[in-house]
Amino acid sequence: MSTKPEGATPPTRTLTERRKAATQLDIARAAAELFTEHGPDGTTAEDIALRAGVALRTFYRYFRSKQDAVAPLLAGGGDRWREQLAATEPGAALPEALERSIAASLTPGDEAAEEGLRWTRGLLRAAVEDPALRAVWYRVNQESEERLREVVAGLAGPAADPLEVRLAAAAATDAIRIALESWAETDAPPVRGDGAPAELAVRCLRELMGGMRLLNP
């Protein structure tokens, strides 16, 4: 019987699912590029489809609006973070596991990861003036929090209070959200040091979890 928490190993995706995800990510990157260059108001769905090299009907097969197109880009970091957290060794203390996984996921290890943070910064700056884009960001965070509950519950064990599990998932998700939003307002580098996303997120998590029994036993 496996000792890994439930949800630790994500199901293997089919070739069709991987191709779909790749197309969605191509469209998301095209949308992010155009939003950075022209802003959401200066970008149309047709522009995004053209930049991504897909037909307009393909764009609308995957996304409801031009703002919705960047959701895969905004959600990618959270997906990787939850997978890393779910792979934590059994018996590890939850607070330390959350801190380690948050710091690791927000410390880019290569140029692609650093580029992803730069895209996030640009999109969060654009979202300040675009309610629809801001709504996509909040939706991505809400969905991430809901998926995180299962991972936290698995790590906390069957005796954990469901309310505390929910609070822990909310605190961890909000720590990253607030850190990224705060970082996007500055010109601090995305890698390491004061003001970088990883440092801000761990700081936020420690502040938020101070009164939680599950995260401060």
Side-chain angles (χ1 to χ4, degrees), residues 152-171:
V152 172
L155 292 172
D161 184 334
L163 178 61
E164 292 184 8
V165 167
R166 185 168 186 170
L167 285 170

Side-chain angles (χ1 to χ4, degrees), residues 15 31 53 63 68 70 105 110 121 134 141 174:
L15 178 59
F63 302 109
D68 192 45
V70 300
S105 67
D110 54 34
R121 170 180 264 165
R134 197 157 58 247
N141 279 274
D174 278 348

Side-chain angles (χ1 to χ4, degrees), residues 101-110 113-114 117 190-192 196-199:
S101 62
I102 286 175
S105 67
L106 290 177
T107 303
D110 54 34
E114 190 168 338
L117 280 173
V191 186
R192 291 178 177 84
E199 185 270 337

Side-chain angles (χ1 to χ4, degrees), residues 26-45:
D26 286 343
I27 295 172
R29 288 185 179 127
E33 288 174 0
L34 289 166
F35 288 174
T36 300
E37 294 168 12
H38 308 293
D41 286 344
T43 301
T44 66

Side-chain angles (χ1 to χ4, degrees), residues 45-187:
E46 290 87 346
D47 295 332
I48 297 170
L50 182 63
R51 177 70 65 92
V54 300
L56 185 59
R57 66 178 178 275
T58 301
F59 174 92
Y60 281 116
R61 186 183 307 149
Y62 293 129
F63 302 109
R64 295 169 295 178
S65 68
K66 59 185 180 182
Q67 288 90 349
D68 192 45
V70 300
L73 204 58
L74 292 173
D79 292 341
R80 291 188 293 274
W81 166 50
R82 288 191 306 276
E83 289 178 9
Q84 184 178 43
L85 180 63
T88 300
E89 288 300 316
L94 183 56
E96 287 78 5
L98 283 169
E99 283 195 19
R100 282 196 304 271
S101 62
I102 286 175
S105 67
L106 290 177
T107 303
D110 54 34
E111 179 58 32
E114 190 168 338
E115 181 185 51
L117 280 173
R118 287 196 295 267
W119 284 131
T120 298
R121 170 180 264 165
L123 291 170
L124 290 179
R125 288 176 173 176
V128 172
E129 303 296 332
D130 191 294
L133 185 55
R134 197 157 58 247
V136 171
W137 170 241
Y138 290 143
R139 190 192 79 219
V140 164
N141 279 274
Q142 179 62 37
E143 291 172 351
S144 181
E145 178 185 324
E146 291 170 358
R147 295 186 182 110
L148 183 60
R149 286 183 207 165
E150 180 182 354
V151 179
V152 172
L155 292 172
D161 184 334
L163 178 61
E164 292 184 8
V165 167
R166 185 168 186 170
L167 285 170
T173 303
D174 278 348
I176 292 179
R177 178 183 62 79
I178 293 168
L180 287 172
E181 290 173 353
S182 299
W183 171 71
E185 296 171 354
T186 73
D187 293 318

